[in-house]
Amino acid sequence: MGMDFERPEYEFLKELGLQPRNLGCYGDGVWRGNGSSVTSINPANNKPIATVVEASLEDYEESMKACVAANKIWMNIPAPRRGEIVRQIGEALRSNLHLLGRLISLEMGKILAEGVGEVQEFIDMCDFAVGLSRQLNGSILPSERPNHVMMEVWNPLGIVGVITAFNFPCAVLGWNAGIALVCGNCVVWKGAPTTSLVTVATTKLIATVLEKNGLPGAIFTCVCGGAEIGRAIAADTRIPLVSFTGSTKVGEIVRNAVNARFGRCLLELSGNNAIIAMDDADLNLVVRSVLFAAVGTAGQRCTSCRRLLIHERIYHDVVVSLLDAYSQVKAGDPLEEGTLLGPLHSQASKNNFKHGIEMIKSQGGKILTGGSVIDHEGNFVQPTVVEISHDRPVVREELFGPVLYISKFETLEEAIQMNNSAPQGLSSSIFTRNPEAIFKWIGPFGSDCGIVNVNIPTNGAEIGGAFGGEKATGGGREAGSDSWKQYMHRATCTINYGKDLPLAQGINFGG
């Protein structure tokens, strides 16, 4: 099978340390690979780019043994020093921002601006983590007993397993690894098999930083592989926390495996995100936001807008403007300037799109625009808008592609009920200038999602806030705010510095 790797426009791959054949396991500071070979495919033309030899279970075990040993060294390094290492990782990413971003665009299929933006997100997380490394503070609590002090102490968990999905093959690692490392944990990463080149290239940058500082490479371990490696991570008692990003179906399997050994699970699963347009909404803002949220990344973000709920008074105007905006979307090679819609990630994704359109039509959905596969060698589909009743079963499911369901409503209460009717609870947004509507929306009787926006899209979250959702989205929180606490072990410490032994609650036990 011929490789596109040798094409002149792919020369940049060599600058990232990639070759036509790459080893996919970095453990104990050594690259190895004794598992299956997978071929990375360019979704824009379905031609092979390069191959990666995945980790075998034996490779995984050898790597984990080294990781356990390295963890004793890493957690003993002061947090600010660990922050300096993460700062250097951020600098390595910054130096390769456009190269790595171009690889993400090539292998995943998102447009170049989004590929570069994804690497920037990892860089931003490194910057955040550096500051955090000097602020991993506990608490001093008042004790009811004389000559006693009570405090909370935070310590590393040990090893954090990170399993990421194809749609964000770099950034989601950054959400987890930046914080996990400054908190004193080693990281074991399994990227998606279909974006293995991004996994290998990113790991090479991180490994270079560790080597330059004379630190064990096993502090950061990479194990490319499929479900077999994922199951090993989920079942491994040496990994106290597993962060999994993917579908709700697979997330449930991971959760059950981790829970069975009383481990911790951080889940970022499916989304079914809605935008509500109230009758006082800025229509231009609504249309621009929906276009980015529903068409960006070809609808393959967990935060992509799947449902647009429009007040009946402005329904016609919004639909007309939206269809006009859709008609101007340029689909094509994600690496070309001006492209807004790249391909779906795989042929399987394209087939799921076709099946989803059939289901939509069978349940009374009316295709207002799009609805077809584009006749092209790549995995291109038309951005699609569907008019459909919000209570149809297909609307409750996440169709991972550029498909937008639109429905109308009469009252804010009805719109909130429609938003909350989805099994998933990741992101949501309302467009209004009414303070009463805004504060109801963000309050206890408003959106039940983990991300509750006003006058911005459902996607494109900043790293400073905690990212995650409720219900079938999994309940995990990553990135900013106090998400760091999930990567550490909290201990409540009571110290008696006196000579007596007063007991709590005033208990007298034979004294």
Side-chain angles (χ1 to χ4, degrees), residues 33 63 70 96 150 176 209 212 226 261 268 324 382 385 439 465 482 496 505 511:
S63 299
N96 291 272
M150 189 160 54
N176 287 276
V209 172
K212 184 177 68 176
R261 60 177 176 85
E268 297 289 357
D324 179 63
Q382 296 175 336
V385 178
F439 284 99
D482 64 348
N496 178 1
Q505 293 84 48

Side-chain angles (χ1 to χ4, degrees), residues 225 340 406 412:
L340 289 182
I406 61 173
L412 173 61

Side-chain angles (χ1 to χ4, degrees), residues 376-416:
H376 189 280
E377 61 183 345
N379 305 318
F380 292 91
V381 301
Q382 296 175 336
T384 301
V385 178
V386 179
E387 191 174 57
I388 192 170
S389 174
H390 82 280
D391 59 359
R392 291 292 181 262
V394 71
V395 179
R396 294 173 57 81
E397 301 173 3
E398 182 185 45
L399 177 56
F400 221 53
V403 178
L404 177 69
Y405 304 116
I406 61 173
S407 306
K408 64 178 66 173
F409 65 89
E410 296 180 9
T411 66
L412 173 61
E413 289 72 21
E414 181 187 5
I416 291 174

Side-chain angles (χ1 to χ4, degrees), residues 70-99:
N71 187 238
K72 294 180 174 63
I73 298 171
W74 183 244
M75 67 169 55
N76 199 42
I77 294 174
R81 174 59 185 161
R82 299 193 298 255
E84 166 58 17
I85 301 302
V86 172
R87 186 196 67 79
Q88 293 180 33
I89 292 173
E91 286 302 308
L93 290 164
R94 189 174 277 112
S95 297
N96 291 272
L97 172 63
H98 293 281
L99 290 173

